[in-house]
Amino acid sequence: MRTGIATVCLSGTLKEKMQACAIAGFDGIEIFEPDLVTSPLPPEDVRKMAADLGLTLDLYQPFRDFDSVSGDLLTANLRRAEAKFKLMARLGMDTILVCSNVATASIDSDDLRAEQLGQLAALAGDHGVKVAYEALAWGKYVSDYEHAHKLVEAVDHPNLGTCLDSFHILSRNWDTAPIEAFSPDKIFFVQVADAPKLSMDVLSWSRHYRVFPGEGQFDLAKFMGHVVRAGYSGPVSLEIFNDVFRQSDVERTAVDAMRSLIWLEEQSAKWLDAASDAGTGTGAAGTPAPGRRRYPMELATLPQVAEPAGYNFAEVRAADTQGLETVLGQLGFEFNGRHRTKDVQLWSMGHARVIINEAAPADGDGATGDASPAIAALGFDVASPVIAAARAQQLKAPAVPRKSQANEEVFQGFAAPDSTEIFLCQGTSDGTAAWTSEFGEGLENPTAGPTAVIDHVNLAQPWQHFDEAVLFYTSALALEPQPFAEVPSPTGLVRSQVMATGDRAVRLVLNLAPLNQQRKTYQEHIAFAVDDLVATARDCRARGLEFLQIPANYYEDLDARFGLAPDFLATLQELNLLYDRDADGEFLHFYTATVGSVFFEMVERCGAYDGYGAPNAPVRHAVQYDHLQHR
Amino acid sequence: MRTGIATVCLSGTLKEKMQACAIAGFDGIEIFEPDLVTSPLPPEDVRKMAADLGLTLDLYQPFRDFDSVSGDLLTANLRRAEAKFKLMARLGMDTILVCSNVATASIDSDDLRAEQLGQLAALAGDHGVKVAYEALAWGKYVSDYEHAHKLVEAVDHPNLGTCLDSFHILSRNWDTAPIEAFSPDKIFFVQVADAPKLSMDVLSWSRHYRVFPGEGQFDLAKFMGHVVRAGYSGPVSLEIFNDVFRQSDVERTAVDAMRSLIWLEEQSAKWLDAASDAGTGTGAAGTPAPGRRRYPMELATLPQVAEPAGYNFAEVRAADTQGLETVLGQLGFEFNGRHRTKDVQLWSMGHARVIINEAAPADGDGATGDASPAIAALGFDVASPVIAAARAQQLKAPAVPRKSQANEEVFQGFAAPDSTEIFLCQGTSDGTAAWTSEFGEGLENPTAGPTAVIDHVNLAQPWQHFDEAVLFYTSALALEPQPFAEVPSPTGLVRSQVMATGDRAVRLVLNLAPLNQQRKTYQEHIAFAVDDLVATARDCRARGLEFLQIPANYYEDLDARFGLAPDFLATLQELNLLYDRDADGEFLHFYTATVGSVFFEMVERCGAYDGYGAPNAPVRHAVQYDHLQHR
C-alpha cells in the first residue's frame, strides 16, 4: 500500500512537515495549498526537496468552488485553475483535488456540471494534469460520492476521476459497498480519516475532530476493503483536520500518522480475508470473492499477537522509597528482596507484583520534588515477547533499553506516548514470573499470601497525546477502547478512556487530566483486586494503613440511592469503603493516601460488575484535592 | 434582583465555592448535590457557614429521574426523595429541583405523571419542602417548559411549582412569551445560562458549552423580561456547566459570574422599558404593558455610557526601548518627548499615539526576556470618564492605580481579564488629547504629520479568560462582539473574536492563541490606518523599516484569485504589501518585524471594507513562526 499524508495534518512550516513525513517513512504527501502559499520555498525547491527526501508529491489540494456556476464565474474559475495547473508543472505534480462547490454554486443541473467539469478536464489535459473530483459532505448540490462518480462517468474524460475521502462518506453514513463497482481508472485518489462519532454539524466535525485511523469510530477497514476490491492501487493518504495535531510536535505526529496507516493496512487485509471466507462481495452470484492477494493493491501485514493475558508487574520509580515501602507493606504486600544487580525492589501479594525502582522519576516534577514516586513502567504477559516486540517495532513504537546481565531475563520494552515504559513478558499459566528469582537472594521465597492481581492501572495522558495513546495501545498491545467517560473533579473534568482485553484480564485507564493539572501534578494509581475487600481493609487498618477518608455525606447519599442494609452501610463507613452497583453486579473499593503522585486502590468485583466505580470518582478527586490544598 | 449561582459553575471544594460567591457579592447559591456529597462538611456546618457568609441556600439540586415510572420504582423514588427532604431540613433549605425523567421513564402518560408529581408534592409538603419541576431539553417525555408547567397546574399543590432554565428553553428555540401567562405562585425558581449557538446534540452542548449571560448568543434579556412580567420575584440564579470555568480560579470565575448577572439585570430592564414603549405585552388588548417599575422584581440599572469614540492611545512597556523607538521612527511616528514626571515617552503620527513605558512588562516573559516589549495599556475616548469608570466599577472591573502629580490629567483605569490596563480618557472632537501637553517640555509641538489613527489592536487572551473578556468588553466598554473567526497558524488554530463599536471607531481583536503558545510567547500588535498605504510603505522603506517578508508564492496565489493588474501586483510584491478584497471594498496592509512580543501593522481601508485581511493571516503567522525558529 502506498502511504500518503496531507501537509495540513501537521504543525510547522512546509519544510518541517516534509522532513517529518520522510522521517516517519511516508511514500508521498499531499500539498495543502496554504502550506505552499505561506512558504518562502519556490515551487522548484519544493520539488527538489521532495525528491531528495524520497517523497512523491501526490496531490495538490484543495481547488474549491468550481462547478455549478454561471458563465462569468466559470471563465474566472478556469483562469484560476490554469494558474494552478502551471504551478503544478513547476512542482512536478500531476493530480489536483477539486471539491464540490460549497460557496458559489448557483445552478443545480447535472448536465451543466458535467459540461463544466468537462471543460476543466480538457484544460487539465492540455497541461498534463488529472482532476480528482470529490463530493464534500456539505457540498451545496453534490455531497454524495456516488453523485460525484456519476458526473465523472458522464464526462468520461481521461483527465477526470474521483477522489474518495472516508470522512465525507462515513460521516454521512453512506453505504460504501457501491465503491466496488467503480472502475479503478476513475478513482484518482483515496483519502482516509477517522473520527469519533459526534452529533454535530458535519463541517465543524470535519474541521476540528478528525483523527488518524484507529483513533475514532469509523469502519475504515471495510471502506478500504471496498476500495481494494474496486481495483484501486494508488496512494492511501491521510487528510486529518485536528485542533490538537495542528499544535503538536511535527515529527511525533507524523509517526502517529504513519502508525495509523500501518495498522489500517493490516485491518484492511483482515477485512478482505474475512469477507472472502464469508463469500461476500461482487463475484458472480454464489461465487466467493477472491482473497486480497488477487487485487492490485498489495497489503502488508504485521506479526500477529493475541491480547495480553494479564499484568506481569507494575513499576514505581522514586528516589526516596520509604513512603512506598510503608504503604505496600500496610496493604499486605511482602517484600521479596532486592534485585541481585539492579537498584530495584520486588514486592508481591499473590500475583500482583510491584517493582520499586530506586531512581528519580524520568520527568522531574517541580511541584512535589523530583524524588516523588511515579508510575514508570508496566509489564504485560504475552504469548511471545519476541513476536509482540517485533509487531510493536513495526508499528514504530520507540524501543527502550533495559540493562541486563547474563542469566537475567531480557525484557522487550518500548515507550508509550506518555513515556511510560511498556514491557512484554513471558506469561505463565500459573501467574508466576520467572524473573522473580533474580530477587531476594538469601530471603525465603514468599509463601502464599492473600490472592491478589493487578485489576487496573490509571495513567495520566498529556493532552497532546491522548488520541495517539488510544491507537498505540490498540495497535501495539491489542487492547480494545471501551466507551468514553467524563468525571468531574474540583479542578475540572477528567476524560477517561478504558483500554481492555476482551476477558478483562488487562484493564488500562487513560485519563486526560484538566489542562491546569497535567502529568506533573496529576495523580495516577494502581488498583489490586482481592476476594474479600472487607477483610482486606480490616487487615490493612490493623497494619496502620492511611485510608483516603470518605465524607459522611457520601454514605448518606449511598443509602438514599441504594437502600443498603444498616450493618453493611456501617461497615462501609467504618472502613472508608466505596460502593457501586449496577445490573451486572457490585463493586467495593478503597483508596490509600497519596505517596508522591501515586496512590493505590483495592477492589472487589462481585458478579459480573465491569466498571470502575465511576459514580465514586468525584468523591475520590474531591478528597484528594482537599488533601493537596492542606498539605 | 436577587442573585444566585449554582456551585457546579465553579472549581474547588464546596467551602471554597461558598467563600468565592460571598466575596463576589451573590445573595444566594444553589447546592449542587455532588458538591455536598464530596464535602467533609456536615450539613449543619454548611448551613452555618452560609449564614455566616451572608448567603441564602436557595435550591438543592438536582433530583433526577422521578416521574413516569412504574409502581416499584415510584416507591423507591419517594424513599430517595424523603432522604433528601430530611437532609434539606438539616441544611435549612426549602426548595429542591426535580428535573424531568431522562433515564428511567417508561410510561408516557400525563395523568400518571400528574399523579406521581402529586404524591411527591404531598410528601414534600410534610417536610416543608417546595418542589421545582423542570423540563430538561432532553427529557424523555417532558422536554418543553410549557408541558412541565401544565403538569404543575394539573397537580395544583402549593408545594409543586416549576423551574425555568433559560438553557433548556432557548436551546430548543421555544417561544418565551407564554411565560408571562404563568402564575408567579407556580414559578418556584429561575435559572439563567447563555450559550454560543452550536449545532450539536443538546446534552453535550449543555454539559460543556454553557457560558455566563453576555458571553453567548441567547436573547436572555427577553427571557428575563417575560419572567419579570409574569410577576416572578425570586432568585435569578446561574447554572453554567462549562469545561473551562470548572478549572479556572474560583474567586475570579465568581466575579465573572456576578458581572454577568449585573449586566443581565440592566439588559432586562432595558428590554422591559423598550417593550413598554412599544406597547407590546399582555396588557388588555391595545393597552401598553406597564413599565418595569410596576413588577415585583426590582431591577437595578448601571451608569449609562455610549460606546467609546476611538482609541486615545496605546501603551507598550519595555525595559529596553531602543527597538521600539527605532521601529516607530521608521513607521513615521514623531517623538513628542518624555513625560515631565514619569518614565514614559510619547510618540505620535496624526491622531495615533503610542506611549512607550520604560519599565519591564508586568508579567515576566521567560522566553524572550523580561525586558521584551509588550502591549500594556489601551486608552479609549469616552464622553465622560467618571461615569464610564463608575459603570466599570459597578461591573466589578478591578481598578488600577496610576500615579499622577498635581496639574496632570488623572486617568480612570481598570484591568482587563488578560491584565491589559484599560484607561478611560476624555475624548475631544478634533482627535487631540489634552494630556499630551505633559510631554516634551522644551520640544516643539509636533507639526501636522501624516494622518493616521489606531485602526485596531490585537491582544492575546489566556485560554481560561476568553469568555470573561468578551463579557468584560461588552459590559464595561460597550463594545459589540462580532462573528467569530479561526485562523490556521503553524502552531495551531488561532481563535479570533473582534469586539467593535457600531461605527468601527474602535476595533479590538481578542485572540485565543493555541495552548502551546499562550500569552508569554504569542505576538500581539497595534495596527494604524493611513490614507495611502503604498506611499506610506515607500516612506517607511526609505527610513529603513524592516518589513515582514511576504513569500513570492503568496503573490502568485493572489494573482490566481483576484487577477490583479500586473503593475499593481508588482508594487504589492515590491513593498511586501498584503491585499484583500470583498464585496464591500479593498484592504491593503503590511507588517513590521517583531520587537519583543509586539509588532505593528499599517492598513488602508478602501470602500466599506470591514475586515482584517483574514485570508492573509496564515501568511503572517507562518512568516513570523519561521523568523522565531531562526532567530
Side-chain angles (χ1 to χ4, degrees):
Chain A
M1 186 174 102
R2 278 179 55 203
T3 55
I5 181 168
T7 53
V8 72
C9 306
L10 303 170
S11 67
T13 61
L14 181 58
K15 189 170 163 181
E16 290 169 338
K17 294 176 188 212
M18 289 172 69
Q19 192 169 28
C21 292
I23 292 170
F26 281 93
D27 296 316
I29 61 171
E30 304 173 34
I31 298 265
F32 187 65
E33 183 171 82
D35 284 320
L36 182 72
V37 168
T38 61
S39 172
L41 294 176
E44 292 77 7
D45 289 13
V46 174
R47 176 184 195 159
K48 179 167 187 317
M49 174 175 288
D52 291 349
L53 287 169
L55 292 171
T56 53
L57 298 178
D58 296 331
L59 187 77
Y60 189 88
Q61 68 122 322
F63 190 85
R64 296 190 192 279
D65 298 327
F66 174 79
D67 64 78
S68 316
V69 297
S70 61
D72 282 1
L73 201 43
L74 179 69
T75 307
N77 285 347
L78 287 168
R79 192 190 57 74
R80 182 162 60 97
E82 189 162 25
K84 298 302 175 187
F85 296 162
K86 288 178 180 167
L87 172 64
M88 289 169 66
R90 296 169 61 197
L91 287 160
M93 298 182 70
D94 69 1
T95 309
I96 188 169
L97 177 83
V98 173
C99 41
S100 61
N101 197 328
V102 173
T104 62
S106 60
I107 307 165
D108 188 9
S109 154
D110 274 351
D111 288 344
L112 180 81
R113 263 187 289 277
E115 189 205 309
Q116 295 182 340
L117 288 169
Q119 286 191 48
L120 183 65
L123 183 66
D126 295 344
H127 292 270
V129 165
K130 294 162 69 185
V131 169
Y133 181 63
E134 173 186 77
L136 294 179
W138 54 91
K140 186 164 175 189
Y141 300 129
V142 180
S143 61
D144 172 348
Y145 78 98
E146 291 188 83
H147 188 181
H149 182 255
K150 265 182 212 135
L151 291 166
V152 165
E153 285 195 318
V155 175
D156 194 24
H157 189 289
N159 291 75
L160 183 69
T162 190
C163 171
L164 299 174
D165 179 320
S166 66
F167 184 88
H168 293 296
I169 297 170
L170 298 175
S171 66
R172 298 290 301 268
N173 281 316
W174 306 127
D175 180 14
T176 48
I179 293 170
E180 293 194 14
F182 289 11
S183 160
D185 298 343
K186 296 296 184 197
I187 308 178
F188 280 6
F189 209 77
V190 170
Q191 294 175 318
V192 286
D194 203 345
K197 289 203 171 159
L198 300 176
S199 161
M200 66 193 307
D201 71 287
V202 69
L203 177 59
S204 304
W205 188 18
S206 172
R207 291 281 167 83
H208 301 289
Y209 298 100
R210 292 186 181 204
V211 284
F212 295 123
E215 297 173 0
Q217 294 170 275
F218 286 164
D219 190 348
L220 292 174
K222 185 178 172 207
F223 167 80
M224 277 303 302
H226 293 310
V227 166
V228 171
R229 281 181 171 184
Y232 176 79
S233 61
V236 177
S237 187
L238 298 161
E239 192 201 27
I240 315 295
F241 301 90
N242 180 289
D243 289 1
V244 173
F245 300 161
R246 277 181 188 273
Q247 52 183 311
S248 307
D249 176 77
V250 58
E251 290 191 14
R252 184 156 172 174
T253 308
V255 169
D256 181 23
M258 190 64 205
R259 180 180 300 138
S260 78
L261 281 187
I262 296 168
W263 175 84
L264 178 60
E265 188 170 4
E266 176 193 50
Q267 298 302 308
S268 305
K270 283 187 177 176
W271 187 90
L272 282 164
D273 289 345
S276 169
D277 291 346
T280 61
T282 53
T287 315
R292 67 186 149 90
R293 293 180 202 289
R294 302 283 298 276
Y295 295 107
M297 190 186 295
E298 285 179 32
L299 295 173
T301 53
L302 295 167
Q304 295 300 296
V305 296
E307 55 186 28
Y311 279 99
N312 191 286
F313 68 89
E315 180 176 316
V316 183
R317 203 170 288 167
D320 178 356
T321 62
Q322 182 61 52
L324 279 177
E325 293 171 27
T326 302
V327 171
L328 287 175
Q330 290 166 336
L331 281 171
F333 276 72
E334 292 198 55
F335 175 58
N336 304 134
R338 300 173 55 82
H339 190 268
R340 62 189 184 216
T341 64
K342 296 174 199 154
D343 290 335
V344 299
Q345 309 173 10
L346 173 63
W347 292 72
S348 72
M349 178 164 141
H351 297 321
R353 285 175 287 271
V354 174
I355 290 174
I356 301 181
N357 189 330
E358 299 166 347
D363 60 342
D365 177 341
T368 52
D370 282 342
S372 175
I375 297 175
L378 299 174
F380 293 94
D381 282 335
V382 298
S384 164
V386 172
I387 295 174
R391 178 181 173 91
Q393 281 182 34
Q394 287 200 27
L395 284 159
K396 302 192 174 282
V400 293
R402 173 140 288 203
K403 276 184 237 154
S404 61
Q405 310 284 331
N407 301 324
E408 289 177 11
E409 189 169 335
V410 178
F411 286 159
Q412 306 282 345
F414 44 93
D418 70 349
S419 79
T420 301
E421 296 178 356
I422 303 296
F423 291 100
L424 304 164
C425 310
Q426 184 69 58
T428 60
S429 56
D430 63 355
T432 59
W435 55 265
T436 57
S437 66
E438 297 165 18
F439 286 77
E441 276 176 11
L443 276 186
E444 275 186 47
N445 255 357
T447 51
T451 310
V453 294
I454 294 178
D455 183 83
H456 62 277
V457 176
N458 277 41
L459 295 178
Q461 303 298 302
W463 62 270
Q464 305 97 318
H465 304 302
F466 194 73
D467 294 311
E468 179 187 350
V470 170
L471 173 62
F472 177 85
Y473 288 109
T474 302
S475 61
L477 210 62
L479 300 182
E480 278 265 350
Q482 308 299 310
F484 199 74
E486 286 172 335
V487 175
S489 88
T491 53
L493 289 180
V494 177
R495 289 161 209 263
S496 188
Q497 171 68 63
V498 174
M499 307 291 302
T501 56
D503 63 2
R504 301 295 187 267
V506 171
R507 302 165 179 268
L508 178 65
V509 186
L510 306 179
N511 281 349
L512 180 57
L515 286 170
N516 58 7
Q517 199 189 8
Q518 283 276 296
R519 176 109 204 213
K520 292 188 179 185
T521 55
Y522 189 80
Q523 302 170 73
E524 304 183 318
H525 83 275
I526 306 168
F528 309 103
V530 294
D531 288 338
D532 183 341
L533 193 75
V534 170
T536 301
R538 288 199 197 284
D539 291 346
C540 291
R541 190 172 60 174
R543 286 186 290 259
L545 180 73
E546 187 187 344
F547 291 74
L548 192 75
Q549 297 293 307
I550 307 304
N553 295 337
Y554 167 78
Y555 295 99
E556 262 194 61
D557 181 62
L558 204 59
D559 193 31
R561 288 192 287 135
F562 293 118
L564 300 173
D567 280 4
F568 181 58
L569 188 69
T571 301
L572 294 179
Q573 185 160 4
E574 175 201 346
L575 295 167
N576 285 289
L577 305 188
L578 297 145
Y579 175 83
D580 190 30
R581 186 169 77 200
D582 64 18
D584 299 321
E586 291 174 299
F587 188 63
L588 281 89
H589 55 145
F590 72 80
Y591 298 100
T592 69
T594 300
V595 186
S597 58
V598 178
F599 62 97
F600 300 96
E601 180 182 6
M602 286 284 209
V603 313
E604 179 186 346
R605 295 179 178 278
C606 313
Y609 184 92
D610 192 31
Y612 302 83
N616 303 327
V619 180
R620 192 252 295 169
H621 281 297
V623 178
Q624 289 178 331
Y625 169 82
D626 216 30
H627 283 201
L628 266 175
Q629 299 296 95
H630 298 108
R631 82 180 182 191
Chain B
M1 185 173 101
R2 277 179 56 204
T3 55
I5 181 169
T7 54
V8 73
C9 307
L10 303 170
S11 67
T13 61
L14 181 58
K15 188 171 163 181
E16 290 169 338
K17 293 175 189 212
M18 289 172 68
Q19 193 169 28
C21 293
I23 292 170
F26 281 93
D27 296 316
I29 61 171
E30 305 173 33
I31 298 264
F32 187 65
E33 182 170 82
D35 284 320
L36 182 73
V37 168
T38 62
S39 172
L41 294 176
E44 292 77 8
D45 289 12
V46 173
R47 177 183 194 159
K48 179 167 188 316
M49 174 173 290
D52 291 348
L53 287 169
L55 292 171
T56 53
L57 297 178
D58 297 330
L59 186 77
Y60 188 88
Q61 68 122 321
F63 190 85
R64 296 190 192 279
D65 298 326
F66 174 79
D67 63 78
S68 317
V69 297
S70 61
D72 282 1
L73 201 42
L74 179 69
T75 307
N77 285 347
L78 287 168
R79 191 189 57 74
R80 182 161 61 95
E82 189 162 26
K84 298 303 174 188
F85 296 162
K86 287 178 180 167
L87 172 64
M88 289 169 66
R90 295 169 61 198
L91 287 161
M93 298 182 70
D94 69 0
T95 310
I96 188 169
L97 176 83
V98 174
C99 41
S100 60
N101 197 328
V102 172
T104 62
S106 59
I107 307 164
D108 188 10
S109 154
D110 274 350
D111 289 344
L112 180 81
R113 263 187 289 278
E115 190 206 308
Q116 294 183 340
L117 288 169
Q119 287 192 49
L120 183 65
L123 182 65
D126 295 344
H127 292 269
V129 165
K130 293 163 68 185
V131 169
Y133 182 62
E134 172 186 77
L136 294 179
W138 55 90
K140 185 165 177 189
Y141 300 128
V142 180
S143 61
D144 172 348
Y145 78 98
E146 291 189 84
H147 189 181
H149 181 254
K150 266 182 210 135
L151 291 167
V152 165
E153 284 195 317
V155 175
D156 194 23
H157 189 288
N159 291 74
L160 183 70
T162 190
C163 171
L164 300 174
D165 179 321
S166 66
F167 184 88
H168 293 297
I169 296 169
L170 299 175
S171 66
R172 298 290 300 269
N173 281 315
W174 305 127
D175 180 14
T176 48
I179 292 171
E180 294 194 14
F182 289 10
S183 160
D185 298 341
K186 297 296 185 197
I187 307 177
F188 280 6
F189 209 77
V190 170
Q191 294 174 318
V192 285
D194 203 345
K197 289 203 172 160
L198 300 175
S199 162
M200 66 194 307
D201 72 285
V202 69
L203 177 59
S204 304
W205 188 17
S206 171
R207 290 280 168 84
H208 301 290
Y209 298 100
R210 292 186 182 204
V211 284
F212 294 124
E215 297 173 359
Q217 294 170 275
F218 286 164
D219 189 349
L220 292 174
K222 184 178 174 206
F223 167 81
M224 278 303 302
H226 293 309
V227 166
V228 172
R229 281 182 171 182
Y232 176 79
S233 60
V236 177
S237 187
L238 298 160
E239 192 200 27
I240 315 295
F241 302 90
N242 180 290
D243 289 2
V244 173
F245 300 162
R246 277 180 187 274
Q247 52 183 310
S248 307
D249 176 78
V250 59
E251 291 191 14
R252 184 155 170 174
T253 308
V255 169
D256 181 23
M258 190 65 204
R259 180 179 300 137
S260 78
L261 281 187
I262 295 168
W263 175 83
L264 178 60
E265 188 169 3
E266 177 193 50
Q267 298 302 308
S268 305
K270 284 188 177 176
W271 187 91
L272 282 164
D273 289 344
S276 169
D277 291 347
T280 61
T282 54
T287 316
R292 66 187 150 89
R293 293 180 202 289
R294 302 284 299 276
Y295 296 108
M297 190 186 296
E298 286 179 32
L299 295 174
T301 52
L302 294 168
Q304 294 301 294
V305 296
E307 55 186 27
Y311 279 98
N312 190 286
F313 69 89
E315 180 176 315
V316 183
R317 203 170 289 167
D320 177 357
T321 61
Q322 182 61 52
L324 278 176
E325 293 171 26
T326 302
V327 171
L328 287 174
Q330 290 166 335
L331 281 171
F333 276 73
E334 293 198 55
F335 175 58
N336 305 134
R338 299 174 55 81
H339 190 268
R340 61 188 186 217
T341 63
K342 297 174 198 157
D343 290 335
V344 299
Q345 310 172 11
L346 173 63
W347 292 72
S348 72
M349 179 162 136
H351 297 321
R353 286 175 286 273
V354 175
I355 290 174
I356 300 182
N357 190 329
E358 300 166 345
D363 61 344
D365 177 341
T368 52
D370 283 341
S372 174
I375 296 175
L378 299 174
F380 293 94
D381 281 335
V382 298
S384 164
V386 172
I387 295 175
R391 178 181 173 89
Q393 281 182 35
Q394 287 200 30
L395 284 159
K396 302 192 173 283
V400 293
R402 172 139 290 202
K403 277 183 234 154
S404 61
Q405 310 284 332
N407 300 325
E408 289 177 9
E409 188 168 336
V410 178
F411 287 159
Q412 305 283 343
F414 45 92
D418 70 349
S419 79
T420 301
E421 296 178 356
I422 303 297
F423 291 100
L424 303 164
C425 309
Q426 184 69 59
T428 61
S429 56
D430 63 354
T432 59
W435 55 265
T436 57
S437 65
E438 297 165 19
F439 286 78
E441 276 176 10
L443 275 187
E444 277 186 44
N445 254 358
T447 52
T451 310
V453 294
I454 294 179
D455 183 82
H456 61 278
V457 177
N458 277 42
L459 295 178
Q461 302 298 303
W463 62 269
Q464 305 97 319
H465 304 302
F466 193 74
D467 293 311
E468 179 187 349
V470 170
L471 173 62
F472 177 85
Y473 288 110
T474 301
S475 62
L477 210 63
L479 301 182
E480 279 265 350
Q482 309 299 311
F484 198 74
E486 286 173 336
V487 175
S489 88
T491 53
L493 288 180
V494 177
R495 289 161 209 263
S496 187
Q497 171 69 63
V498 174
M499 307 291 303
T501 55
D503 63 2
R504 301 295 187 266
V506 171
R507 302 165 179 269
L508 178 65
V509 185
L510 306 179
N511 281 348
L512 180 56
L515 286 170
N516 58 6
Q517 198 189 7
Q518 283 275 298
R519 177 109 203 210
K520 292 190 180 185
T521 55
Y522 190 79
Q523 302 171 73
E524 304 183 317
H525 83 274
I526 306 169
F528 308 103
V530 294
D531 289 338
D532 184 343
L533 193 75
V534 170
T536 301
R538 288 199 197 284
D539 291 346
C540 291
R541 190 172 60 174
R543 286 187 289 260
L545 180 73
E546 187 186 344
F547 290 74
L548 193 75
Q549 297 293 307
I550 307 303
N553 295 337
Y554 167 76
Y555 295 98
E556 262 194 61
D557 181 62
L558 204 59
D559 193 32
R561 288 193 286 137
F562 291 119
L564 300 174
D567 280 4
F568 183 58
L569 187 69
T571 300
L572 294 178
Q573 185 160 6
E574 175 202 345
L575 294 167
N576 285 289
L577 304 187
L578 296 145
Y579 175 84
D580 191 30
R581 186 169 78 201
D582 63 19
D584 299 320
E586 291 174 298
F587 188 62
L588 280 88
H589 55 144
F590 71 80
Y591 298 101
T592 70
T594 300
V595 186
S597 57
V598 178
F599 62 98
F600 301 96
E601 180 182 6
M602 286 285 207
V603 314
E604 178 185 345
R605 295 180 178 277
C606 313
Y609 184 92
D610 192 32
Y612 302 82
N616 302 328
V619 180
R620 192 253 293 171
H621 282 297
V623 178
Q624 289 178 330
Y625 169 82
D626 216 29
H627 284 200
L628 266 175
Q629 299 294 95
H630 298 109
R631 82 182 182 192

